[in-house]
């Protein structure tokens, strides 16, 4: 398959965009999940993300004090990981977890154009408008900046997935102002098994 397969649509499965947002909030505000994310899984996830980001720091994509943004950062482990390796990182999510994650919508990020050197996300499956989401990533990236997108390809997803992605090309093609730098399978970690990197023109 060559595209992102949408599971739900506004006007069909959701009456309004707010209904979609409320559905997504159910997962993020679930007390059992939050207890796990902020407790037992907290350091484990930070260490996993540090390993991911250190790879890109060692390959000169990430450089000291770069301004970084994480889309859909939930409780913020990826933000902490970036900060711990010397970046200036912030996350957005529909449910904030300050000081690491502020309230923000992946389809309408609260930042100016060309604001960040590096953007990370692993929640494409939670987007009901994947094209708009990737456009926001490009919009906030500076020229020459990089976007790292991790995907869960051909895996069973949960009830909060809004789409299924069967190949990376279907998401890569949503970028209009960037070139592909890396496109590779990765060891299965945190439900992700693929990642790609785009560089904004």
């Amino acid at each position: 398959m060559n595209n992102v397969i949408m599971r739900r649509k506004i006007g069909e499965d959701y009456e309004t965009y707010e209904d979609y947002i409320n559905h997504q909030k159910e997962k993020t505000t679930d007390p059992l999940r939050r207890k796990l994310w902020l407790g037992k899984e907290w350091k484990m996830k930070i260490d996993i993300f540090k390993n991911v980001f250190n790879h890109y720091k060692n390959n000169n994509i990430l450089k000291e004090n770069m301004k970084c943004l994480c889309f859909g950062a939930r409780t913020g482990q990826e933000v902490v990981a970036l900060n711990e390796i010397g970046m200036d990182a912030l996350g957005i999510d529909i449910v904030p977890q300050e000081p690491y994650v502020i309230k923000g919508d992946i389809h309408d990020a609260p930042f100016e154009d060309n604001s960040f050197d590096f953007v990370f996300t692993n929640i494409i499956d939670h987007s009901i408008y994947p094209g708009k989401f990737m456009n926001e990533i490009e919009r906030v990236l500076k020229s020459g900046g990089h976007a790292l997108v991790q995907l869960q390809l051909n895996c069973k997803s949960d009830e909060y997935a809004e789409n299924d992605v069967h190949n990376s090309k279907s998401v890569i093609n949503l970028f209009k102002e960037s070139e592909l730098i890396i496109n590779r399978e990765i060891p299965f970690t945190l439900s992700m098994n693929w990642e790609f990197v785009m560089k904004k023109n």
Side-chain angles (χ1 to χ4, degrees):
M1 293 185 180
N2 261 342
N3 52 6
V4 178
I5 307 299
M6 298 307 300
R7 289 184 174 192
R8 302 181 186 92
K9 294 180 181 177
I10 307 295
E12 293 180 13
D13 304 277
Y14 298 116
E15 285 189 18
T16 65
Y17 185 76
E18 192 61 32
D19 291 337
Y20 151 72
I21 292 291
N22 288 333
H23 181 242
Q24 290 299 317
K25 280 182 180 177
E26 287 176 13
K27 182 173 185 176
T28 311
T29 58
D30 178 77
L32 293 178
R33 284 189 172 96
R34 291 190 77 79
K35 183 178 179 181
L36 190 62
W37 296 337
L38 292 166
K40 184 179 178 182
E41 290 185 354
W42 178 257
K43 187 175 183 319
M44 176 199 72
K45 286 186 176 180
I46 290 171
D47 290 343
I48 289 170
F49 281 123
K50 278 172 80 171
N51 187 54
V52 169
F53 298 136
N54 269 322
H55 170 78
Y56 290 103
K57 188 175 182 183
N58 293 337
N59 286 279
N60 294 314
I61 286 176
L62 276 168
K63 297 174 184 175
E64 203 76 16
N65 297 314
M66 273 188 165
K67 196 170 178 187
C68 304
L69 177 63
C70 301
F71 277 85
R74 287 200 184 132
T75 45
Q77 288 96 328
E78 55 266 72
V79 177
V80 174
L82 282 164
N83 286 331
E84 287 188 0
I85 67 165
M87 304 301 133
D88 177 15
L90 179 67
I92 65 166
D93 202 287
I94 52 175
V95 177
Q97 180 66 42
E98 294 182 357
Y100 312 116
V101 182
I102 65 169
K103 186 174 182 179
D105 187 337
I106 61 172
H107 303 114
D108 186 17
F111 303 104
E112 298 293 324
D113 297 358
N114 311 307
S115 297
F116 294 90
D117 302 294
F118 181 84
V119 170
F120 170 75
T121 193
N122 61 4
I123 64 145
I124 182 73
D125 56 317
H126 289 275
S127 171
I128 202 156
Y129 297 131
K132 194 170 183 181
F133 181 17
M134 297 304 103
N135 181 68
E136 282 297 276
I137 289 177
E138 279 191 309
R139 183 184 67 77
V140 302
L141 265 181
K142 296 176 184 176
S143 178
H146 293 86
L148 168 60
V149 179
Q150 290 190 332
L151 302 170
Q152 183 184 57
L153 297 186
N154 301 308
C155 296
K156 181 174 172 58
S157 21
D158 66 22
E159 64 186 292
Y160 297 99
E162 303 296 343
N163 63 70
D164 293 315
V165 181
H166 295 284
N167 60 66
S168 60
K169 185 178 179 183
S170 62
V171 183
I172 291 164
N173 287 343
L174 297 174
F175 284 82
K176 305 304 180 190
E177 301 174 28
S178 306
E179 62 175 313
L180 179 66
I181 303 297
I182 294 164
N183 186 30
R184 64 178 190 161
E185 186 175 6
I186 56 174
F188 193 80
T189 340
L190 299 178
S191 301
M192 302 296 122
N193 58 8
W194 200 276
E195 68 184 19
F196 65 86
V197 177
M198 306 297 291
K199 182 177 182 180
K200 186 174 176 180
N201 299 329

